[in-house]
């Protein structure tokens, strides 16, 4: 297992380097930050002094080399806006994103298991068809559309939910609902399909012939064997939640890593943007390795390379 994890870490190194290079180059394409941080009346000497202070007067290749040196030492520089350490700002914002993603994923898993098992227990019934229709609809709705519609309906029209902030439990409802709708729809379909196959398996019929109750058959026999494909898909969806949080946090003003990225892009705060993207990329790579390791525990063919 340790050898498998090491192989996954080595294969993840190159994509991580590509991400670092990409964010460095794309950040520079947003324009020169000098015009944002100096008044229009600033003299040429003041502009040159600002560029020299922040390293913008150096050739692009020199800036890139200095950037990678800073990454190696976990030093991303300071924010142009606040003068704070960019890495500290990213680390301070990331827990809010994790809280949102973990809460959303847990609720989506619980909801998908309940709805999927309920639908699979009576296949082709009205309940099964209704849950399939709703889950497919949920899996097809874009996050940003659901977020904007939720704000208009529950915050503007009805006035029952806040549009931003984390001050109360009500402020969690719209962001979680927005992030949860697609994973809930996808997972419900996966759980339902896996449970239909599991409930028709010979070991389930044997359990029923021995007098096991329907609840025990579903929870102790079928669900345990249907969990593997659902957990695999849930891991992939969890990775997507971290990416999807960027849009949701921007819409709802959630103080997480996504909102920090958007603010850094708008303010051309290169150091903060680079720190936030790297932290997010590392979290995604680590999560992918954990998912692959869990899957390798279930299937020896994954962790052991084929031998010719």
């Amino acid at each position: 297992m340790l050898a498998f994890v090491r192989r996954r870490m080595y294969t993840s190194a190159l994509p991580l380097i590509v991400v670092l290079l990409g964010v460095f180059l794309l950040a520079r394409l947003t324009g020169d930050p000098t015009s944002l941080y100096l008044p229009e009346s600033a003299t040429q000497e003041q502009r040159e002094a600002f560029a020299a202070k922040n390293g913008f007067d150096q050739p692009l290749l020199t800036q890139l080399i200095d950037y990678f040196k800073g990454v190696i030492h976990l030093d991303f520089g300071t924010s142009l806006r606040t003068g704070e350490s960019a890495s500290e700002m990213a680390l301070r914002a990331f827990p809010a994103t994790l809280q949102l993603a973990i809460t959303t994923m847990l609720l989506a898993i619980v909801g998908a298991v309940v709805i999927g098992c309920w639908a699979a227990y009576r296949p082709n019934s009205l309940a099964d068809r209704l849950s399939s229709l709703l889950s497919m609809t949920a899996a097809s709705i874009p996050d940003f559309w659901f977020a904007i519609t939720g704000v208009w309906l529950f915050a503007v029209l009805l006035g029952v939910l806040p549009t931003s902030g984390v001050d109360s439990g009500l402020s969690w409802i719209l962001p979680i609902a927005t992030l949860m709708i697609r994973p809930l729809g996808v997972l419900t379909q996966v759980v339902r399909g896996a449970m239909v196959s599991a409930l028709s398996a010979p070991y389930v019929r044997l359990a029923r012939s021995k007098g096991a109750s329907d609840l025990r058959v579903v929870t102790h026999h079928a669900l345990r064997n249907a969990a593997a494909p659902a957990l695999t898909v849930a891991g992939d969806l969890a990775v997507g939640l971290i990416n999807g949080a960027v849009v949701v946090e921007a819409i709802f003003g959630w103080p997480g890593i996504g909102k920090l990225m958007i603010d850094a892009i708008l303010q051309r705060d290169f150091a903060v943007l680079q720190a936030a993207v790297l932290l997010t990329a590392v979290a995604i790579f680590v999560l992918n390795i954990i998912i692959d390791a869990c899957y390798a525990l279930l299937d020896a063919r994954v962790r052991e390379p084929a031998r010719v």
Side-chain angles (χ1 to χ4, degrees), residues 120-200:
Y121 184 70
R122 298 184 181 277
N124 299 320
S125 64
L126 178 61
D128 182 25
R129 294 174 183 175
L130 181 61
S131 66
S132 296
L133 175 63
L134 293 177
S135 62
M136 286 189 291
T137 302
S140 305
I141 296 178
D143 292 344
F144 69 89
W145 182 89
F146 187 85
I148 295 173
T149 303
V151 169
W152 172 78
L153 178 60
F154 295 103
V156 177
L157 191 62
L158 299 178
V160 295
L161 294 176
T163 59
S164 62
V166 292
D167 298 332
S168 65
L170 293 178
S171 60
W172 288 66
I173 294 177
L174 283 177
I176 288 178
T178 301
L179 278 178
M180 188 177 71
I181 185 168
R182 184 176 181 276
L184 178 61
V186 173
L187 275 177
T188 298
Q189 289 291 314
V190 173
V191 172
R192 188 261 179 199
M195 284 296 295
V196 168
S197 300
L199 288 172
S200 61

Side-chain angles (χ1 to χ4, degrees), residues 1-296:
M1 177 57 67
L2 290 178
F4 171 80
V5 173
R6 282 198 299 269
R7 289 198 304 271
R8 288 294 290 112
M9 291 179 65
Y10 294 150
T11 56
S12 298
L14 180 59
L16 186 59
I17 294 174
V18 172
V19 168
L20 291 174
L21 180 60
V23 69
F24 175 85
L25 296 175
L26 291 175
R28 269 65 185 175
L29 292 178
T30 60
D32 184 7
T34 305
S35 58
L36 285 177
Y37 293 94
L38 292 180
E40 295 182 1
S41 59
T43 64
Q44 183 63 28
E45 289 76 12
Q46 290 175 323
R47 293 178 180 274
E48 291 176 355
F50 178 84
K53 177 183 177 182
N54 295 282
F56 300 143
D57 60 332
Q58 300 295 322
L60 190 61
L61 181 58
T62 303
Q63 294 184 45
L64 179 61
I65 293 173
D66 292 340
Y67 167 55
F68 274 101
K69 287 180 180 178
V71 170
I72 294 174
H73 295 90
L74 300 180
D75 181 12
F76 296 90
T78 58
S79 169
L80 293 176
R81 291 178 295 164
T82 64
E84 296 180 73
S85 169
S87 56
E88 290 182 2
M89 292 178 65
L91 289 172
R92 189 167 59 245
F94 197 64
T97 299
L98 279 183
Q99 290 176 351
L100 185 62
I102 291 173
T103 304
T104 300
M105 200 67 240
L106 290 176
L107 291 175
I109 291 174
V110 172
V113 168
V114 172
I115 299 173
C117 291
W118 176 50
Y121 184 70
R122 298 184 181 277
N124 299 320
S125 64
L126 178 61
D128 182 25
R129 294 174 183 175
L130 181 61
S131 66
S132 296
L133 175 63
L134 293 177
S135 62
M136 286 189 291
T137 302
S140 305
I141 296 178
D143 292 344
F144 69 89
W145 182 89
F146 187 85
I148 295 173
T149 303
V151 169
W152 172 78
L153 178 60
F154 295 103
V156 177
L157 191 62
L158 299 178
V160 295
L161 294 176
T163 59
S164 62
V166 292
D167 298 332
S168 65
L170 293 178
S171 60
W172 288 66
I173 294 177
L174 283 177
I176 288 178
T178 301
L179 278 178
M180 188 177 71
I181 185 168
R182 184 176 181 276
L184 178 61
V186 173
L187 275 177
T188 298
Q189 289 291 314
V190 173
V191 172
R192 188 261 179 199
M195 284 296 295
V196 168
S197 300
L199 288 172
S200 61
Y203 62 85
V204 170
R205 293 197 295 268
L206 178 61
R208 281 176 170 162
S209 66
K210 291 182 177 181
S213 64
D214 290 342
L215 180 61
R216 183 172 181 81
V217 166
V218 171
T219 58
H220 287 73
H221 297 281
L223 184 58
R224 181 180 301 176
N225 290 275
L231 288 176
T232 303
V233 175
D236 294 336
L237 291 171
V239 172
L241 281 181
I242 298 178
N243 289 325
V246 174
V247 176
V248 172
E249 289 178 4
I251 293 176
F252 294 106
W254 191 268
I257 200 75
K259 187 175 184 300
L260 184 67
M261 286 184 195
I262 298 296
D263 292 342
I265 292 172
L266 295 177
Q267 298 294 327
R268 297 173 189 168
D269 200 345
F270 297 157
V272 175
L273 176 61
Q274 291 163 178
V277 171
L278 177 61
L279 181 59
T280 304
V282 169
I284 291 174
F285 285 132
V286 170
L287 184 56
N288 275 321
I289 291 174
I290 293 174
I291 294 168
D292 291 343
C294 293
Y295 193 74

